[in-house]
């Protein structure tokens, strides 16, 4: 495992010169965004071990999907362009620091736990891939889009739907789930909840 920091010149994810030390991050490498890091474009579907935006002052563009197989640390004021999703693909602590992720947040395939360090907000949808069983623990995740529960999810995190979207999927939600919106949540397919409000 290595640490790869976005360079002062930035660029596309898949360009070696975008990173310091030079070289595209492997799936086992940590992605770091420092105060001197320039812009980054996730131009191809990519995977890394962890990602940390602490002290980052530039912008990331989500032209393609990004999978993180570990901890995700945002920073308030992070600028995000593009519309592609962020997938958490393994056991993770998600630290939002007051930032609202603007696109879909996907909890990927597998059986693992995502722990929220503080409340989290997602402007897009919260989706859970179909295979495995997810656990989400601690605090509240506020979701402005839909909920696509492709598999069951449990744990102590409260899922609060606060916008307009569709609740779909055959997965059973055993987390506390609250609908608190002036918008419309449309139920699609077979949706089930065991506990919650």
């Amino acid at each position: 495992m290595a640490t790869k920091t976005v360079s002062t010149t930035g660029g596309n994810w898949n360009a070696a010169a975008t990173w310091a030390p030079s070289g595209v991050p492997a799936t086992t490498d940590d992605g770091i965004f420092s105060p001197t890091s320039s812009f980054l474009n996730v131009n191809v579907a990519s995977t890394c071990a962890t990602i940390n935006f602490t002290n980052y002052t530039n912008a990331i563009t989500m032209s393609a999907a990004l999978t993180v197989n570990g901890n995700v640390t945002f920073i308030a004021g992070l600028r995000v362009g593009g519309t592609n999703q962020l997938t958490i693909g393994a056991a993770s602590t998600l630290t939002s620091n007051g930032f609202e992720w603007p696109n879909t947040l996907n909890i990927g395939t597998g059986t693992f736990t995502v722990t929220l360090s503080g409340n989290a907000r997602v402007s897009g949808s919260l989706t859970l891939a179909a295979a495995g069983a997810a656990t989400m623990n601690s605090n509240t995740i506020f979701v402005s889009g839909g909920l696509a529960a492709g598999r069951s999810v449990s744990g102590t995190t409260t899922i609060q739907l606060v916008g307009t979207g569709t609740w779909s999927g055959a997965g059973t939600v055993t987390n506390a789930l609250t609908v608190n919106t002036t918008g419309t949540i449309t139920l699609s397919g077979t949706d089930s909840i065991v506990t919650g409000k």
Side-chain angles (χ1 to χ4, degrees):
M1 177 183 292
T3 296
K4 296 287 187 175
T5 302
V6 179
S7 69
T8 57
T9 56
N12 290 329
W13 183 287
N14 67 345
T18 299
W19 303 93
S22 181
V24 178
T27 58
T28 56
D29 291 341
D30 299 319
I32 303 295
F33 294 73
S34 76
T36 60
S37 294
S38 191
F39 74 95
L40 177 74
N41 179 31
V42 183
N43 63 314
V44 295
S46 304
T47 302
C48 62
T50 68
I51 198 162
N52 191 331
F53 292 97
T54 301
N55 299 318
Y56 186 53
T57 59
N58 222 296
I60 181 172
T61 300
M62 298 295 294
S63 299
L66 175 62
T67 297
V68 181
N69 289 325
N71 296 341
V72 176
T73 304
F74 291 125
I75 185 173
L78 176 65
R79 291 176 288 151
V80 178
T83 58
N84 275 277
Q85 72 181 20
L86 174 68
T87 294
I88 296 176
S92 171
T93 296
L94 174 61
T95 305
S96 66
N97 288 317
F99 174 72
E100 184 167 357
W101 177 252
N103 306 335
T104 294
L105 177 66
N106 179 51
I107 309 302
T109 299
T111 299
F112 56 87
T113 299
V114 176
T115 302
L116 271 59
S117 176
N119 293 335
R121 293 185 178 272
V122 179
S123 294
S125 295
L126 175 65
T127 66
L128 294 100
T135 302
M136 297 186 72
N137 281 337
S138 301
N139 296 294
T140 299
I141 185 166
F142 299 90
V143 182
S144 296
L147 172 63
R151 70 183 192 273
S152 296
V153 57
S154 62
T156 61
T157 295
T158 297
I159 301 171
Q160 189 166 149
L161 304 180
V162 296
T164 295
T166 299
W167 178 6
S168 62
T172 299
V173 178
T174 58
N175 297 66
L177 190 146
T178 303
V179 177
N180 182 17
T181 180
T182 58
T184 300
I185 302 297
T186 302
L187 301 184
S188 174
T190 303
D191 311 303
S192 58
I193 182 168
V194 174
T195 62
K197 301 176 182 179

